[in-house]
Amino acid sequence: MTTYREFFRQFSLLYRPFEHHLNLQLAKHGLYRAQWTIIYYLSNQSSATLVELSNYQNVEKPTVTRTINRLEELRIVEQMPSKDKREKRIQLTLLGKQVYEEVRLTVDKYEQHILKGISESDQLNSIRLMEEIRKNILTKGEHE
């Protein structure tokens, strides 16, 4: 088997179990990964539009809208007016910030557990590789 085939075989074997176990950890807080991704983003960016969130998650705007609606029902996020009257900005509520801190502890514990035995140097190299692969995927060109 070629190296690149083995690379992507290993990636596909890793992705689904990671998502599954992450969702099990998030379920302890009544959340799913898509919700957590938005909470995480808003915690780090302070606010965002639906378009910014859909671009970040690389999903369609209606998908993000449904997730935002659910997070609003849970009182984790709220809409606020922006300079452009046609779009609203989304931000975490006070409860949302508390939820972020609680869930962050659970996710940190999980992520540290699954990286046990992997050096920081190897982690940094993997981050660099994933960034490069993502850039290659998003670059239009020869592969199409």
Side-chain angles (χ1 to χ4, degrees):
M1 183 177 292
T2 64
T3 303
Y4 74 87
R5 286 182 183 165
E6 180 61 13
F7 178 91
F8 288 105
R9 185 180 81 82
Q10 289 297 327
F11 175 79
S12 65
L13 292 173
L14 170 71
Y15 178 75
R16 291 219 185 267
F18 170 78
E19 288 279 304
H20 173 71
H21 289 282
L22 178 61
N23 274 321
L24 291 176
Q25 296 301 312
L26 294 171
K28 297 174 184 177
H29 302 275
L31 297 173
Y32 296 99
R33 185 205 46 82
Q35 295 165 327
W36 169 244
T37 303
I38 288 173
I39 293 168
Y40 174 85
Y41 185 85
L42 293 174
S43 177
N44 289 287
Q45 301 297 320
S46 76
S47 71
T49 64
L50 291 173
V51 171
E52 290 167 345
L53 290 167
S54 67
N55 289 339
Y56 174 69
Q57 288 191 315
N58 202 27
V59 296
E60 299 296 321
K61 189 176 159 190
T63 302
V64 172
T65 300
R66 283 190 298 275
T67 305
I68 289 296
N69 289 341
R70 179 64 183 137
L71 290 172
E72 282 182 314
E73 290 171 11
L74 296 170
R75 293 183 165 73
I76 291 173
V77 302
E78 62 188 355
Q79 294 187 28
M80 55 188 222
S82 70
K83 294 173 188 170
D84 184 342
K85 301 284 187 224
R86 295 169 294 174
E87 71 179 9
K88 301 259 192 251
R89 294 200 66 82
I90 312 297
Q91 67 181 11
L92 292 177
T93 61
L94 184 57
L95 174 63
K97 291 174 183 177
Q98 293 170 346
V99 167
Y100 171 80
E101 293 301 328
E102 292 171 13
V103 178
R104 182 78 261 167
L105 294 173
T106 300
V107 172
D108 283 350
K109 185 176 177 183
Y110 169 63
E111 290 175 345
Q112 289 167 3
H113 171 74
I114 65 175
L115 288 173
K116 184 179 175 186
I118 301 173
S119 71
E120 185 173 356
S121 172
D122 283 344
Q123 290 177 45
L124 290 169
N125 191 44
S126 296
I127 292 166
R128 184 190 61 73
L129 288 172
M130 288 186 287
E131 288 171 343
E132 191 67 27
I133 292 167
R134 184 173 191 278
K135 184 180 85 177
N136 289 343
I137 289 170
L138 297 176
T139 302
K140 304 281 185 209
E142 296 177 26
H143 65 279
E144 294 181 355

